[in-house]
Amino acid sequence: INLLINDCIYNGVLPFSILARYAFISMSFLKTLVENNVLSNDEYNEILLSIPTIATKFAEDNDLLLKGKISKEEFLNKYGHLRPNTYDINSLNYRFGYDTYFNGNGKNIDIEYKENNIDTIFENKKEAINNILKDNDLNFDYKALKEFIKETIPGREWAKFEYTKNINLILELIAIFGQEYSLTRDDMSYLSIDKIISLSIESHSCSLEKELKREIEYRKKKYSLGQLIKMPSIISNEKDISEFFIEESNPNFITSKNVTGEIVKIDAYNVDTVDIRNKIVVIEYADPGYDWIFGYDIKGLITKYGGVASHMSIRCAEFGIPAAIGCGDIIFNNIRNYSTVELNCENNQIKVIK
């Protein structure tokens, strides 16, 4: 476990953090081109539809699986490490939760992918793009910017897909260790990773099982108390801890589509009890482990957390799915109390219908 963590830090998280920043810069460039009327909103969306990430390969393999052209084992050898809530030991990965996530009721993911859109659009707008780059003292041209965007957005997604293989293996090894002491996944979720690592360099006492259970009970109580504390999204000074306002966030709207539909709230623990087909999915935050939702023909997606270059922003842009990413506490909690909403991405609005 310790070796996997160190490997994940230096060969996974650090490279990913750099690639994630590059992807954010790419999205900022595209947004700036729209704000300066170099690109239209439609052209912006078409560009994102023309940049395939690991999700495109997932969609293709999901289609082959549904058609019986690849086996379940072949599919899981590639994607079995993914899980909703990447760092949650209680969340089953695709291998162990296969029947829950891929229950035979899915469909081929409808990809609007158009390979040459970004090349064509940048070529048609090259003079305007070059001018704005020059005006901002940037010493590269439209071709270099285009290649940077084409490489960094999928690069971020690929890097996260790869380093989560280590995360998955770490969690599974922790679960196996817990079984040796009659501890469930939920029990192990309350132990700190430092405690688990320390066991590899310390001599085990004959009462280790009792010690672990005692610490788990203590941490469960501490966690329950912690859940009662409300904190602001951003802490700028010490006063924010004792006195603050929860401000309404501005969601990142993906595509220019307008859809109205019934909402369905999901998390890692109710995926086997809800039907998300033709629904607007509402979820707190979504990482690569939630990519299975795109196999169920959802109408749209609303999340509490996430930014313009976040995983789900890129996924929804790639698949042409209307979404509001990063709604924040106020909007998200309000939406959860209703059954039907209108998601108007063109006008940057979420309207409650009933």
Side-chain angles (χ1 to χ4, degrees):
I1 290 171
N2 198 20
L3 288 172
L4 285 167
I5 289 174
N6 288 326
D7 179 62
C8 192
I9 291 170
Y10 296 107
N11 297 314
V13 177
L14 292 177
F16 166 75
S17 65
I18 295 169
L19 288 167
R21 182 55 49 184
Y22 289 162
F24 181 83
I25 293 170
S26 290
M27 297 297 289
S28 295
F29 268 117
L30 290 174
K31 286 285 188 182
T32 302
L33 293 175
V34 173
E35 291 166 1
N36 286 271
N37 299 314
V38 176
L39 298 175
S40 68
N41 282 319
D42 287 342
E43 287 170 330
Y44 169 83
N45 291 323
E46 287 178 15
I47 286 171
L48 294 179
L49 283 171
S50 69
I51 303 175
T53 72
I54 187 67
T56 299
K57 182 59 179 173
F58 173 83
E60 292 170 352
D61 287 338
N62 181 70
D63 184 36
L64 294 175
L65 177 66
L66 290 170
K67 293 177 178 177
K69 294 185 178 180
I70 63 172
S71 68
K72 170 183 171 182
E73 191 59 29
E74 288 176 293
F75 181 81
L76 291 177
N77 282 340
K78 290 184 181 180
Y79 306 105
H81 67 284
L82 296 174
R83 74 181 71 220
N85 300 349
T86 300
Y87 304 95
D88 187 350
I89 194 172
N90 287 310
S91 177
L92 294 180
N93 62 24
Y94 281 10
R95 179 171 293 279
F96 295 133
Y98 178 85
D99 292 336
T100 296
Y101 308 129
F102 306 95
N103 57 22
N105 294 322
K107 62 182 284 292
N108 178 33
I109 302 173
D110 186 17
I111 306 175
E112 298 182 33
Y113 172 54
K114 300 172 183 177
E115 183 175 1
N116 297 318
N117 274 10
I118 186 171
D119 296 328
T120 302
I121 292 171
F122 265 67
E123 192 64 36
N124 291 338
K125 300 295 181 77
K126 62 182 179 181
E127 185 175 347
I129 295 173
N130 281 338
N131 286 338
I132 197 171
L133 292 174
K134 185 178 179 181
D135 290 343
N136 286 277
D137 298 322
L138 298 170
N139 60 347
F140 52 87
D141 63 5
Y142 80 100
K143 286 185 178 179
L145 177 60
K146 179 189 69 175
E147 292 306 313
F148 180 77
I149 292 170
K150 287 173 69 174
E151 291 182 16
T152 57
I153 291 176
R156 174 196 187 278
E157 300 304 299
W158 172 80
K160 190 167 189 179
F161 178 83
E162 288 297 322
Y163 91 71
T164 51
K165 293 178 180 178
N166 270 31
I167 299 296
N168 171 68
L169 187 51
I170 290 166
L171 293 177
E172 293 309 312
L173 289 173
I174 291 172
I176 291 170
F177 171 77
Q179 289 174 2
E180 295 178 8
Y181 294 93
S182 303
L183 298 171
T184 66
R185 284 176 177 265
D186 186 61
D187 290 332
M188 297 302 292
S189 71
Y190 289 94
L191 286 179
S192 70
I193 192 66
D194 289 335
K195 175 63 177 178
I196 293 171
I197 291 173
S198 71
L199 297 174
S200 67
I201 57 175
E202 295 177 355
S203 298
H204 293 192
S205 71
C206 58
S207 59
L208 178 60
E209 182 175 338
K210 289 182 179 179
E211 290 177 12
L212 292 176
K213 289 182 176 180
R214 185 166 57 246
E215 181 164 350
I216 288 168
E217 287 306 310
Y218 165 74
R219 289 185 173 275
K220 283 182 178 181
K221 292 176 182 178
K222 191 174 181 180
Y223 174 79
S224 296
L225 288 173
Q227 291 296 94
L228 301 175
I229 301 172
K230 186 74 175 178
M231 297 291 285
S233 300
I234 299 175
I235 299 174
S236 56
N237 60 67
E238 64 274 14
K239 292 182 180 179
D240 291 340
I241 296 174
S242 58
E243 183 178 311
F244 59 89
F245 292 98
I246 299 177
E247 298 182 356
E248 187 168 307
S249 302
N250 293 317
N252 300 283
F253 289 91
I254 311 300
T255 79
S256 298
K257 298 178 180 179
N258 183 1
V259 295
T260 299
E262 181 183 345
I263 67 170
V264 57
K265 300 175 282 290
I266 66 170
D267 56 40
Y269 310 113
N270 73 341
V271 295
D272 57 343
T273 60
V274 295
D275 183 3
I276 65 174
R277 289 170 295 182
N278 203 34
K279 304 287 198 318
I280 296 175
V281 173
V282 176
I283 190 169
E284 283 208 3
Y285 56 90
D287 50 30
Y290 281 97
D291 282 354
W292 60 270
I293 67 175
F294 297 116
Y296 287 86
D297 197 23
I298 64 173
K299 268 193 173 182
L301 179 68
I302 298 173
T303 72
K304 183 176 182 179
Y305 303 111
V308 67
S310 67
H311 176 82
M312 279 300 169
S313 291
I314 293 172
R315 287 292 193 266
C316 291
E318 184 178 358
F319 294 145
I321 294 173
I325 306 296
C327 292
D329 280 309
I330 296 176
I331 296 175
F332 187 83
N333 291 334
N334 182 49
I335 290 170
R336 286 168 61 94
N337 295 322
Y338 295 90
S339 61
T340 305
V341 299
E342 177 189 349
L343 180 55
N344 189 329
C345 297
E346 184 175 12
N347 295 323
N348 294 348
Q349 292 179 329
I350 306 174
K351 296 181 181 178
V352 171
I353 304 300
K354 64 178 181 178

